[in-house]
Amino acid sequence: MDRKILHCDMNSFYASVELLEHPELRDVPVAVAGNPENRHGIVLAKNEAAKKFGVTTAETIQQALRKCPGLTFLPPHHEKYSFYSKKINEIYRSYTDLVEPYSIDESWLDVTGSERLFGSAEGIADQIRNRVREAYGLTLSVGVSYNKIFAKMGSEYRKPDATTVISRENYREILWPQPVGNFFYVGRATAEKLKKLHIYTIGELARADVGFLKRSFGVHGEDLHRSANGEDTSPVRRWGDWDDVKSVGHGVTFRRNIRGEDDVSLAVTELADWVSTRLRLYEMKAYGVKVEITTPEFRRISRQRRVERSFVTAQTIRRIALKLIQEAGFMEREIRLLTVTAIYLAKEDAPEQVSIFDMAEMFSPEPKNNSNSVNSNSVQEEKIERTMDAIRKKYGTKSIGYAHSLGNDLGLSRRGEEESEK
């Protein structure tokens, strides 16, 4: 018997929450945005009225105003979003304990075992939409399918406030004609590469030779082919099982664009310090680092590297991140926003196999060295950083740091509320 999976996606969540206190603005274009004076004037969310003018997330306030001169801006209140997210997930959990949040405003539900109590999966989706609307004045779209990916695609298919069923009988009709870039897990770079291979739609991806896709994309090519053919079998995790942190990252939009080794080194040092502190707090270790660069033109570049041996120190994260930035060609180019993330996480006490070759590997202290190795076993570095953790725990997060970052003009800080766990 097929599973019955729902994907619930709140409609314009941030903007909708803000409009609860501004009902007079409900029918006019509204965007949620940060503070433009601190160079955080970027659209975080927009309502349906603003979408009709072409306003998009992550564009600047100036760009949005050129599209919609009458656009009204409201400041974000993240504590409100967390409050409503928890309340809405409580509604989901009244139907099943198999509830897996994907983000603050999206969750998967497996209601296979709930149909006897609450009716069909489609009926449960409609019940949830009605309950959320009546209780909180917010709307959501729900995709119903037999796997997680198609359920996610269903919630995107019709908005706002709609239920879409994608079944074994209709998925070719609904999904296959769509552009390949619309498919879940197909990012911009993958979509462009697929187009160069003359694969323009999800259907063409599904019908492509799996060997050809594997040669072009590795294991990811096989996964894409399987998913496009409806063969995703990933489970919906039980509520609470998703508490394990999957990555720890921190990003900063700088007060001015950074450029050159001094600027980049300072920025990466502070970001790596923040990330490593959170890693140790969660008692996790990492096997990889990811950097995401946003240019002044809002072009986004992402690079990541996995290593053989685990690490928890800022110095190791810094060395890998600087190497990635250098390899991406951005050591001497302007950067507006930079994010450093520790990835491929495991519990600190998880066993690992170490070879004599691993012990010999180490990154150079500076990115201009051509070494491709990483020292992930610096006991002395870890002792120093754990001592810093203890000082910060007793005297506050700003009580100790790196001297060269004092008085910097980049807008770097160690505010705990800015953490990002995925």
Side-chain angles (χ1 to χ4, degrees):
M1 183 181 74
D2 278 339
R3 296 179 298 162
K4 302 298 175 66
I5 311 297
L6 310 184
H7 183 269
C8 299
D9 186 1
M10 300 302 299
N11 301 140
S12 306
F13 184 54
Y14 287 7
S16 297
V17 169
E18 298 297 340
L19 288 172
L20 292 175
E21 295 186 8
H22 298 278
E24 73 281 3
L25 300 176
R26 189 169 300 278
D27 297 324
V28 302
V30 171
V32 179
N35 186 348
E37 294 182 0
N38 292 331
R39 285 178 54 88
H40 291 288
I42 296 175
V43 173
L44 303 176
K46 65 281 180 190
N47 67 352
E48 291 296 325
K51 289 180 183 178
K52 293 178 180 178
F53 284 86
V55 176
T56 60
T57 301
E59 67 181 352
T60 65
I61 288 177
Q62 291 77 15
Q63 290 171 322
L65 283 172
R66 283 196 290 269
K67 296 177 180 178
C68 181
L71 188 61
T72 298
F73 292 97
L74 296 174
H77 297 88
H78 294 282
E79 70 283 356
K80 294 181 182 179
Y81 313 144
S82 295
F83 171 82
Y84 283 106
S85 178
K86 291 177 182 177
K87 291 296 183 182
I88 292 164
N89 273 284
E90 287 176 5
I91 291 179
Y92 301 158
R93 290 168 62 199
S94 69
Y95 292 93
T96 176
D97 62 343
L98 297 174
V99 177
E100 178 186 343
Y102 180 60
S103 67
I104 193 171
D105 61 342
E106 300 178 56
S107 292
W108 278 291
L109 289 68
D110 187 331
V111 297
T112 308
S114 305
E115 290 189 308
R116 291 183 180 180
L117 293 174
F118 303 106
S120 68
E122 184 177 1
I124 292 173
D126 290 337
Q127 290 176 43
I128 289 173
R129 291 194 298 110
N130 290 334
R131 287 182 61 182
V132 171
R133 188 190 311 107
E134 292 172 3
Y136 304 113
L138 301 170
T139 65
L140 68 153
S141 294
V142 185
V144 182
S145 192
Y146 61 95
N147 66 58
K148 290 172 69 175
I149 291 179
F150 281 6
K152 166 71 173 172
M153 296 293 293
S155 68
E156 296 286 341
Y157 189 70
R158 283 198 299 154
K159 291 178 178 287
D161 198 14
T163 297
T164 299
V165 178
I166 297 182
S167 65
R168 289 190 184 275
E169 291 72 34
N170 69 8
Y171 76 83
R172 295 176 181 84
E173 176 186 349
I174 293 177
L175 298 181
W176 280 14
Q178 293 187 36
V180 71
N182 288 1
F183 195 52
F184 194 42
Y185 292 142
V186 173
R188 182 181 304 175
T190 301
E192 289 303 315
K193 187 172 181 179
L194 285 167
K195 291 175 183 177
K196 291 179 180 178
L197 298 174
H198 305 290
I199 297 174
Y200 301 99
T201 67
I202 297 174
E204 289 172 339
L205 174 63
R207 292 187 293 265
D209 178 72
V210 67
F212 172 71
L213 291 173
K214 185 176 181 180
R215 289 192 297 273
S216 301
F217 297 94
V219 176
H220 185 49
E222 287 185 291
D223 292 340
L224 289 174
H225 184 269
R226 185 171 57 252
S227 299
N229 281 285
E231 298 171 7
D232 168 49
T233 60
S234 56
V236 176
R237 288 179 287 178
R238 197 173 305 278
W239 179 268
D241 289 351
W242 46 266
D243 281 339
D244 287 343
V245 178
K246 294 297 177 286
S247 65
V248 178
H250 192 45
V252 171
T253 300
F254 304 107
R255 288 177 181 166
R256 61 172 175 82
N257 296 332
I258 66 171
R259 182 174 185 174
E261 189 169 334
D262 289 343
D263 275 357
V264 173
S265 179
L266 170 59
V268 169
T269 297
E270 289 298 303
L271 292 172
D273 181 30
W274 190 97
V275 170
S276 67
T277 301
R278 305 309 293 184
L279 265 182
R280 295 186 294 272
L281 176 65
Y282 298 135
E283 298 181 350
M284 306 291 285
K285 58 185 177 182
Y287 286 87
V289 171
K290 177 180 179 181
V291 297
E292 295 174 285
I293 300 164
T294 301
T295 71
E297 299 78 30
F298 293 91
R299 188 165 68 92
R300 296 180 182 180
I301 296 91
S302 177
R303 296 288 187 275
Q304 67 181 53
R305 174 163 297 159
R306 184 166 186 161
V307 297
E308 293 298 321
R309 301 203 58 225
S310 65
F311 53 87
V312 296
T313 66
Q315 293 306 311
T316 301
I317 295 171
R318 173 183 178 273
R319 287 190 284 266
I320 299 174
L322 287 173
K323 187 70 175 178
L324 291 171
I325 293 170
Q326 183 193 51
E327 290 174 351
F330 273 86
M331 193 59 71
E332 296 298 333
R333 296 166 64 183
E334 287 194 333
I335 299 173
R336 177 188 176 91
L337 184 154
L338 180 65
T339 300
V340 174
T341 304
I343 56 177
Y344 302 118
L345 304 190
K347 291 292 187 182
E348 271 187 346
D349 57 0
E352 63 181 288
Q353 183 174 352
V354 181
S355 74
I356 59 173
F357 301 104
D358 294 330
M359 297 297 292
E361 289 184 350
M362 62 183 299
F363 249 93
S364 69
E366 299 301 328
K368 56 190 175 183
N369 190 294
N370 288 327
S371 173
N372 285 319
S373 56
V374 57
N375 175 11
S376 57
N377 193 38
S378 176
V379 176
Q380 188 63 30
E381 286 177 357
E382 185 173 343
K383 285 182 178 179
I384 292 172
E385 293 186 24
R386 289 191 184 277
T387 300
M388 293 172 66
D389 293 344
I391 294 172
R392 285 167 174 161
K393 183 176 181 180
K394 185 172 183 179
Y395 298 106
T397 59
K398 297 182 180 179
S399 59
I400 188 169
Y402 294 93
H404 70 282
S405 69
L406 293 174
N408 74 82
D409 63 344
L410 304 185
L412 297 168
S413 70
R414 288 187 50 84
R415 291 174 293 176
E417 68 273 16
E418 293 179 350
E419 67 191 60
S420 171
E421 287 83 51
K422 305 178 183 67

